[in-house]
Amino acid sequence: MTAHDWGDLSDDVAAAAMLAEALDAVQVRGVSYADARLIEAEELRLYSTLEAGVDERVENNLGIGIRVLYNGSWGFASLPVWSSADLRTAAERALANARAADSVSGAYRSELPPLPPASGRYQTEVVVDPFGVSASARYELLAAVLSAASAPAEIVTAQAGLNAKRQHRHFASTEGSVQHQHFIESGAMALVNAAGNGTLQRRSFPNSFHGNTAQAGWEYVEGLRMVEEADRIGREAVELLTAPLAPSGYADFIIGPAQMALQIHESTGHALELDRILGDEANYAGTSFITKDAAGSMRYGSPAVNITSDPTVPGTRGSFGFDDEGVPASRQPLITEGIIQNFLSTRDSAARIGAQSTGAARSDGWGYLPVCFSTNVFLEPGEGSTEELEERLGDGFYIDDNRSWSIDERRHDFQFGTEVAYEVKKGRRGRLLRGFSYGGTTPQFWQSVEAVAGPEEFKAFGMPCGKGEPKQWGFLGHGASPTLVRDVRIGVDR
């Protein structure tokens, strides 16, 4: 018995038979390609605040989504699966939708280059099943986190949360691919607000952006040491109430891994999504300033900037064996020594520029079409410790944990505020400052990167991301080591 032995779709053989039955229903003249995704998911979320008790929710679903390419026109349909009849009904609806799209005069026709069949199995390595942890253990941890975080009298709001998710994801295509993936995620968060001295200050852990979730078991939550960290952020929020305001102007500073994760997400991950570059995606945060001919020629950052997409790295929300079009996971250099090398792409979008998919087609379950999302997009580490990077900085700041962000509809102009900033004098970290913010343009920022700390300082964060119309959630990973930037504009947010 393992953590993956749950639900109705744990049996790969039975799932493969169901997928074959669905695909058999669309094998008609005019259909050049079809794929089916059979998914069962269950998610547990608990949140607790000072003002209210624990809000616990468990959601589960099981269904099928089918895509059909008929005479170059796509059709998609999805259904919850209650019986085998639903498999064929979903398939017939997808085919009918493709035929309806084909009947539109002048409609765009897709050409999907063939992909060699790839079959296999992938699963998250888990030590402790998060769904096997008792309710009393979860509730006791939440209570202890809240108590530690809210100990200072100046704390006016506090929130603690735990989450776990497990999925069986099965895929098959008319090209002969049959894939089985079994995922388990675990995460936690704590957030406090302190009030006083005419200001309100926030601190959070392990990341301000919905905490952090890893592709792992309950052992990940235990390793976070949530109670100790909740005590720390409570005290830091109070300290910020009387901390001096960060200055304005231009400055050199080091950005911590949590803030770098959001910087990468907003100004690199989204900007390199090929559907935005091609103009196919403009909903939900716009297109991109990067052009489709940028690969191999466009200088995006300094020589210290090396960014990769690598879902083969285990343990984060962007880890998988195959994307949702059946493309095997692989490590892909996106930016090498500051020059753009490739994009995040799907099979359809890559074909339009004469390239191979980089395996970034992902969906929020069986009810949604796969779209281009980030995978694990990381800033590759450089050398040395954070202390050595601070010595290299000399005078400046060390900042981390996002407080606010804004970026334009082409991912070009941005501004971020952080929860904390530490003054650095002669390479030594000193007093805490509040209200730190920085901004500029994406190319200017990445070209200001002078150095990145070594792999021992690297941290990855699992993050949610909304995209598409209708909106769906993508779950991905971003990571970096502390990063030194020079001569960047600071100071607006208070």
Side-chain angles (χ1 to χ4, degrees), residues 40-61:
E40 182 176 22
E42 184 167 76
E43 187 164 11
L44 169 66
R45 294 193 294 268
L46 299 86
Y47 291 96
S48 183
T49 66
L50 285 179
E51 300 80 16
V54 177
D55 178 5
E56 178 174 350
R57 304 182 185 191
V58 178
E59 301 172 355
N60 52 65
N61 60 79

Side-chain angles (χ1 to χ4, degrees), residues 135-431:
S136 61
R138 296 195 298 264
Y139 280 49
E140 288 172 6
L141 177 57
L142 282 185
V145 171
L146 268 186
S147 176
S150 61
E154 295 88 346
I155 299 298
V156 293
T157 66
Q159 183 183 34
L162 299 169
N163 63 283
K165 186 175 183 178
R166 54 188 177 184
Q167 298 180 81
H168 302 301
R169 298 179 77 104
H170 305 277
F171 172 93
S173 74
T174 52
E175 293 171 328
S177 295
V178 182
Q179 300 159 4
H180 309 283
Q181 302 190 86
H182 306 272
F183 300 103
I184 290 181
E185 297 177 352
S186 301
M189 60 83 68
L191 184 150
V192 298
N193 283 296
N197 197 32
T199 186
L200 181 75
Q201 294 296 320
R202 185 185 81 188
R203 288 294 287 128
S204 56
F205 179 81
N207 188 3
S208 61
F209 207 72
H210 306 284
N212 197 15
T213 297
Q215 205 175 100
W218 183 254
E219 67 277 4
Y220 171 74
V221 175
E222 293 178 327
L224 290 174
R225 300 168 55 88
M226 288 298 297
V227 177
E228 292 89 335
E229 295 294 343
D231 173 73
R232 175 181 62 81
I233 65 172
R235 290 184 283 103
E236 287 182 353
V238 174
E239 187 179 351
L240 282 167
L241 296 176
T242 54
L245 278 171
S248 300
Y250 284 81
D252 306 333
F253 52 95
I254 295 170
I255 307 176
Q259 173 60 28
M260 281 303 298
L262 191 61
Q263 180 80 50
I264 293 167
H265 177 75
E266 299 293 352
S267 69
T268 307
H270 279 311
L272 289 176
E273 291 168 356
L274 187 55
D275 57 351
R276 295 187 191 279
I277 292 169
L278 294 174
D280 297 343
E281 171 64 39
N283 291 314
Y284 225 91
T287 57
S288 175
F289 71 95
I290 295 171
T291 57
K292 64 181 181 182
D293 57 355
S297 61
M298 182 176 175
R299 176 157 290 284
Y300 173 90
S302 75
V305 176
N306 295 283
I307 296 178
T308 57
S309 166
D310 194 355
T312 69
V313 175
T316 91
R317 299 183 109 178
S319 308
F320 52 78
F322 307 90
D323 77 354
D324 283 330
E325 289 185 318
V327 176
S330 63
R331 177 182 171 88
Q332 299 282 342
L334 299 177
I335 297 169
T336 302
E337 296 184 351
I339 304 295
I340 291 177
Q341 302 297 324
N342 212 334
F343 309 116
L344 294 162
S345 63
T346 62
R347 291 182 65 182
D348 196 7
S349 62
R352 291 174 58 190
I353 63 168
Q356 297 291 318
S357 169
T358 52
R362 308 183 70 197
S363 69
D364 185 11
W366 50 267
Y368 296 90
L369 272 167
V371 298
C372 186
F373 272 113
S374 283
T375 57
N376 286 328
V377 176
F378 298 147
L379 174 64
E380 293 297 316
E383 295 179 345
S385 66
T386 301
E387 290 74 19
E388 290 171 324
L389 201 63
E390 290 174 346
E391 289 179 7
R392 181 171 180 161
L393 167 66
D395 293 346
F397 308 93
Y398 181 96
I399 66 172
D400 209 0
D401 295 324
N402 187 263
R403 176 185 174 95
S404 64
W405 77 96
S406 174
I407 193 163
D408 74 2
E409 73 280 6
R410 296 177 62 239
R411 303 282 152 182
H412 189 263
D413 300 341
F414 72 88
Q415 177 180 307
F416 291 109
T418 59
E419 291 183 356
V420 291
Y422 293 92
E423 197 171 50
V424 178
K425 292 286 189 183
K426 297 181 179 179
R428 303 285 183 181
R429 201 180 300 190
R431 63 178 180 169

